[in-house]
Amino acid sequence: MTALDLTGLRTRPSQVWGAVRLVPLVREEPVDDLRLSPRAYGDDAVGLVELGRRRGYVSYVPHGLVATWTRDGSPAAAYGTGLSAEPDAAPAATVPLRVHRRMVHREAKDRLRFLPLHLALEGYLALHFGGPSVAWEEWSQQAVRRGLSPRAEEAYTGAAVTGLAEALRVFEIHPGQCGVLLYAADALAAAFVVPHPDDYRALHATLVQDLYGELVHHYATLMPAVPDFLARVPDTGIRTLADLRAAAAEQEDAWARFHDSTMAAGLLEGAYTWRTVYRLGRFTLARFLPRFRPRHENHIGEAVTDDRGRIVYLKTFRLSESQVRRGHLLDRLAAHDWHLADTAAGMGLDEAQLGLRLENAGFGSLLRQDVLDRYRRQRRDRPRC
């Protein structure tokens, strides 16, 4: 497990709009031999990604079901439910559905198309997706045969994060800026890094189209405005413009040290498990998962690193506490070959407590109903002090 290393990027003073804080990242030397540019899909925001022969990944399908009922046979997402006497009637209201054959697709010898952030999210959704590695008697037939399929998680688009769109519109883009750390009520929401300043200018506005966790949405909506960064330069000892410049530079350095060691510590000091997805020349595209520590800051993400291990592209997603708990439970089960008694002992719980935690996390269907009922009785009959 390794940490994130943002060597080559310098932190600049933040800008604040309400509860949203953007901290610019400026690259000392832009990367010229890897460039990123957006590909707009227009109104086809609904996406189906075919991950393999029997696996798919659907995103941006609010309150709908994937169907192939349109007149011309193209896939679509249906809004709601309708009744019709015609057995072959198509739904009255649908949304076009764009099909992506793969999460990462090499379009030419020197060109790679991938879906930003979805690499990271699919990695989290696929976490121990196959289910129990051993068919212990406590697991249901669904768990043994289908694993965790289907698996779903919730997220918010940037448009639903209060103040983000306005902040992106009015904030200044620094000279040489190649990235940004986005905070909601000073809780780190996401990190975004690109190789070149021109790439950042082209992609700056796409932050409002990205996905964010529920904590970010709630903090931006419910929390008050955060204080702006203000440099405080004492008038004693300032005699010349050079003295003033040096004092201002010292304030900027102090802010950068505080930010990197305190505000961004949860992201930068965490240990991550990395998985290589694709290699392109001297660059490597990978995604990473955290250790899933409950009651701690946990981020998933994807990155492109160069041949020296430096990050040239980065996009992260902060998991909610409930998502962290689900990842933690799955990791502990997998570490003990999905044996409930051994897993419970390793977590300092009894078997009934673990089973009920699985139910509360949304994994109750993985357990046999009679087993789950027994755990509930044990909790009910347990003596209270």
Side-chain angles (χ1 to χ4, degrees), residues 178-202:
C178 289
V180 67
L181 295 178
L182 191 156
Y183 293 82
D186 281 342
L188 180 57
F192 177 48
V193 174
V194 294
H196 196 278
D198 292 344
D199 299 342
Y200 185 82
R201 288 183 177 275

Side-chain angles (χ1 to χ4, degrees), residues 9 46 61 105 127 200 305:
L9 291 161
V46 183
V61 192
H105 176 61
L127 183 68
Y200 185 82
T305 55

Side-chain angles (χ1 to χ4, degrees), residues 27 34-35 38 51 81 83 87 156 168 181 225 256 266 289 293:
R27 196 179 291 281
L34 178 69
R35 301 296 301 276
L51 302 176
T81 302
L83 299 177
Y156 293 85
L168 293 172
L181 295 178
L289 293 171
R293 295 189 300 164

